[in-house]
Amino acid sequence: MENLIALLVAAPLIGAAVLLCGGRRLDRAGHWLGTLLAAASFVIGVVLFSDMLGRSADDRSLHQHLFSWVPVEGFRADIAFQLDQLSMTFVLLITGVGTLIHLYSIGYMEHDERRRRFFGYLNLFLAAMLILVLADNYLLLYLGWEGVGLASYLLIGFWQHKPSAATAAKKAFLVNRVGDMGLSIAIMLMFTTFGTFAFGPVFAATGDASEGKLTAIGLMLLLAACGKSAQVPLQSWLGDAMEGPTPVSALIHAATMVTAGVYLITRSSAVFNAAPDAQLVVVVVGAVTLLFGAIVGCAKDDIKKALAGSTMSQIGYMILAAGLGPIGYVFAIMHLVTHGFFKAGLFLGAGSVMHGMNDEVDMRKYGGLRTYMPVTFVTFGLGYLAIIGFPGLSGFFSKDKIIEAAFAKGGTEGWILGAVTLLGAGITAFYMTRVMLMTFFGEKRWQPDAKGDAPHPHESPRSMTIPMIVLAVGSVFAGGFFSLGDRFLHWLEPVTGHDHGDAPLSAGVITGATMVVLVIGVAVAWLMYGRASVPVAPPRGSLLTRAARRDLLQDDFNHVVLVRGGEHLTRSLVYMDHTLVDGVVNGTAASFGGLSGRLRKLQNGYARTYAVSMFGGTAVLIAATLLMRAV
Amino acid sequence: MNSLAASATLAASATSTGEAVQFWILGTVAVVGALCTILMKKAVHSALCLAATMIVLAIFYLANGAYFLGIVQVVVYTGAIMMLFLFVVMLVGVSAADSLTETLKGQRWWAAACGLGFGILLIAGIGNASLHSFTGLGQANAGGNVQGLAALIFTKYVFAFEITGALLITAAVGAMLLTHRERTERALTQREMAEARVRAGVQLPPLPAPGVYARHNAVDIPGLLPDGTTSDLTVNRTLKDRGQIRDVSAEAIADIKALEQRSADRLGRDEEEAKR
Amino acid sequence: MNPVNYLYLASLLFTIGAAGVLIRRNAIVVFMCIELMLNACNLAFVTFARMHGNLDGQIIAFFTMVVAAAEVVVGLAIIVSLFRSRHSASVDDASLMKL
């Protein structure tokens, strides 16, 4: 059975190779090939999953060793896969949602002449992401980590003829490099501390390492997670990444790749459990990003960017939960899975709306679309209800558990975190309702596009609606399915461990409070965007709104601190180089030049002068010999 | 010479009085000869002084029991090598004197300092070495000095000897090569030279002969033209280059004047008559 | 008298010869000084032969003479050809060993 694990990765990898190297003759069937291979990977995943369910909870981890990558004395890197419950969850999510989005892309990218290449990149992404979650050591994980970074770069910049897309891709790549640097440093630290970077031996040895080292490793891993999962302070790339095609935003920048950071922290739970300081930083990062993303999401008029802010905020929830330790790991992953469903569905819905509205992304130019796009409206609406945590839907279960876990952290910390998560839930309700109202309700505010064509909203083709329906079903039922009888908890507990903590409030009180903030959020949004009419030109807005429209000045901050600072640093280094280094070098050269100029006069060309020096040298030699004998 | 006396005392750590006297007298001569070698202005004098030193050294070889070497020293060095030196000195100019003023700045001081230091160190080193017991050559020379040397040369040192032979041949060939000048065109015949002279029209008759007033080494004295001045054509150009030409024209004019005076006196003519 | 005096004499002659090489400009005289140095060495070799009671020192002196003869032949040939091309036998005139 474990031999199938490599096939999981191989299927999309072969697809990527064939599609990217195959040339134009594959243009007509390439998208079907890519989708088929993604589906094949999903089927293999399901087969492995059913096999895993058939075994007892302690015997579910499969291991496949392919070959030794770098077999050197004292350093060993293997290409080996490990499939346990955590990996399995990700495999199903990646291949499942991935297959749906492949299917959706067939319709969405129908008129793009580079569709085959697009599917090649998508398959490449699937392969890299599967390597990431299936690796049994950090080095192979790093390979997958870089692979998804590459795929993300290629897909964000897929419409490379648009300068904004090319810039966004570059930005995402560069910001991710900072995080990748953290991961590579973490791996090096692990190697010096433990002598290995395979999961098993490292986690077994965490008890022997000093807490300082573990904290350092944890912080570096967190840096990596921040880069990949768009957490503060490396969050700036996610909003711009929406320049990519919408299926990419749905798959990579909502459902799967951006959750790699959560996977990394959960996978390294042994390290974080032994380093409370690092955990505290993780929680702080999660809480800050949660509010940051939510506030940004409130101000954006671009539907995809509003959703991107939401993604950032929801991943903030997950990171926060993962930072809570054993109380929260399971709920982080659970929210990750449900979020994968409803956020992918929301993005696909957004893509469907854009598809019908001449690729218009400004929500102020939508309005009243519910009758024109009924399927999109219903599926988007279900995703919306799921994300705000409407009782009974997925988000309700998973987000509620995180809020409970935050309170269960205990002490002042618990209260603060609980309040932050509650506030976040309220803001989520607000901005998602805003999106919903501006898009599907109210009067029509449609504007002709740049070419002067008035939009003719219409329902998308079936290849696009079917994935949306499937994902909507997932958003409705996944949470309930996982929570009934604590199925998900029992499933993941052997890998991550679980601790109930001691909540200061009962679950009922917390749920009630969540409902209250939810209603407040929805009501405020209705007052502002439902009852009042929405102007097509964005109003000036408050200071906070204006800041939030500029992503809370993150780019300005980066520019002032990093770019300007870097410029000053380089300028001073150049100055140093010119004066100090060059001065020393040139001074040495000049002094030697002057010395040689003087010594050159000894070389006057007269044989007799040379004879004198020879004779003197002989005398010195005799003196030396005599001295040596005397001593 | 006194080699027989020397051989009797070769084994002793102290030499006979005769050898001591010989050493001190001839040693002084050798050192003076060496100093003269380096201090004489003319190369030919230097060569003669060096020859003297070498003869003294030959005597010392004999005194030290190296009879064969002593003879070889006289024959090869003073006989062959020094003659070679003299030949070259003749070729370059026997009477050409060097200026002993130093042209290189500080060269003489450095040379003196290095020489003094070197000599003192060498002598100190020899003085420090424990060289008080002399085995002497009585036993080694028992079968005859030449026979002993021959036995060594043709057994132990036979290869060195052969290689030395090769070296000598090489040196001889090399010297020939260095001094030989390849003639690149055919030598002109007498007739061609005569024709060329006529064609040039500068000097039709043979060059005038030197040594018109041959009182000295006639070759270096230029011939006189009718007006009493010298003609450069009459002396060898090499001598002219070396500056070895002796101008006797003033002397000659004075001589002529004296001759005329004497004849006038004898004939009883007074100056007035002579003028007229 | 101790025969070691021969060695002192040899050192003295060698030093005089070396000084001559340094002071004199006439290539022929310089060459003579070199011969003087070689002879001084020969005297030392002969004395050493007497000191050690074997003939090897004399053999070396003999070889020195032969080599000196070869050297003189070549050296004088060089001087002659130098004189031919430069009309001078001064070692200072051939100061080609600098730029």
Side-chain angles (χ1 to χ4, degrees), chain C residues 31-82:
Chain C
F31 213 42
M32 287 180 202
C33 293
I34 292 172
E35 292 304 315
L36 182 61
M37 289 157 78
L38 283 170
N39 270 283
C41 292
N42 275 355
L43 179 60
F45 275 126
V46 169
T47 313
F48 282 132
R50 184 182 181 188
M51 192 192 297
H52 294 299
N54 60 30
L55 295 175
D56 289 30
Q58 295 188 11
I59 299 280
I60 300 294
F62 173 67
F63 280 131
T64 311
M65 281 184 195
V66 181
V67 173
E71 178 215 338
V72 163
V73 170
V74 177
L76 287 178
I78 292 173
I79 289 174
V80 167
S81 54
L82 258 184

Side-chain angles (χ1 to χ4, degrees), chain A residues 84-108:
Chain A
D84 58 6
Q85 291 92 324
L86 182 60
S87 305
M88 193 73 238
T89 313
F90 271 91
V91 165
L92 288 179
L93 176 73
I94 294 160
T95 55
V97 177
T99 307
L100 288 177
I101 285 172
H102 272 77
L103 195 62
Y104 178 90
S105 307
I106 293 173
Y108 189 85

Side-chain angles (χ1 to χ4, degrees), chain A residues 176-424:
Chain A
N176 265 297
R177 291 310 311 166
V178 180
D180 298 347
M181 194 57 73
L183 184 54
S184 58
I185 292 172
I187 293 173
M188 293 174 208
L189 277 174
M190 271 177 218
F191 187 72
T192 56
T193 313
F194 306 116
T196 175
F197 34 66
F199 288 155
V202 168
F203 300 152
T206 45
D208 309 332
S210 71
E211 198 184 315
K213 279 210 162 167
L214 287 173
T215 306
I217 294 173
L219 288 177
M220 285 299 122
L221 289 174
L222 173 65
L223 182 64
C226 282
K228 204 53 100 193
S229 295
Q231 300 294 294
V232 175
L234 299 179
Q235 81 290 7
S236 61
W237 64 272
L238 188 61
D240 293 327
M242 295 303 135
E243 288 291 342
T246 309
V248 171
S249 310
L251 176 63
I252 300 185
H253 305 119
T256 53
M257 186 194 84
V258 285
T259 58
V262 184
Y263 171 78
L264 184 68
I265 292 177
T266 313
R267 178 56 85 193
S268 313
S269 53
V271 175
F272 282 96
N273 289 345
D277 293 340
Q279 270 186 324
L280 181 66
V281 181
V282 173
V283 170
V284 170
V285 165
V288 169
T289 313
L290 187 169
L291 293 177
F292 189 100
I295 291 168
V296 170
C298 291
K300 290 287 182 186
D301 292 328
D302 179 329
I303 184 169
K304 286 180 74 182
K305 290 201 172 169
L307 289 177
S310 159
T311 303
M312 208 185 281
S313 167
Q314 299 301 315
I315 296 171
Y317 270 108
M318 300 170 207
I319 295 276
L320 187 149
L324 291 173
I327 315 172
Y329 290 132
V330 173
F331 303 129
I333 301 300
M334 188 162 117
H335 192 55
L336 192 155
V337 175
T338 56
H339 174 259
F341 281 113
F342 56 68
K343 186 52 66 62
L346 286 170
F347 265 110
L348 294 192
S352 176
V353 169
M354 287 159 56
H355 197 69
M357 293 292 286
N358 289 353
D359 286 328
E360 179 60 63
V361 292
D362 190 348
M363 292 188 291
R364 293 185 182 278
K365 297 172 185 171
Y366 293 165
L369 287 172
R370 63 181 183 281
T371 50
Y372 296 89
M373 309 173 126
V375 180
T376 308
F377 169 61
V378 171
T379 53
F380 196 92
L382 289 173
Y384 153 74
L385 290 178
I387 193 172
I388 64 170
F390 193 78
L393 273 67
S394 290
F396 170 73
F397 294 104
S398 54
K399 202 191 287 179
D400 228 34
K401 291 284 186 195
I402 291 179
I403 298 172
E404 276 176 40
F407 277 112
K409 175 79 176 168
T412 327
E413 232 177 286
W415 283 104
I416 295 172
L417 291 175
V420 167
T421 48
L422 266 182
L423 181 61

Side-chain angles (χ1 to χ4, degrees), chain B residues 135-151:
Chain B
T135 315
L137 283 171
Q139 206 167 1
N141 275 348
N145 178 255
V146 179
Q147 285 86 343
L149 283 177

Side-chain angles (χ1 to χ4, degrees), chain B residues 1-10 16 22 62-63 65 67:
Chain B
M1 305 175 62
N2 50 5
S3 57
L4 293 175
S7 66
T9 55
L10 278 177
S16 65
Q22 174 195 277
L62 293 173
Y67 309 121

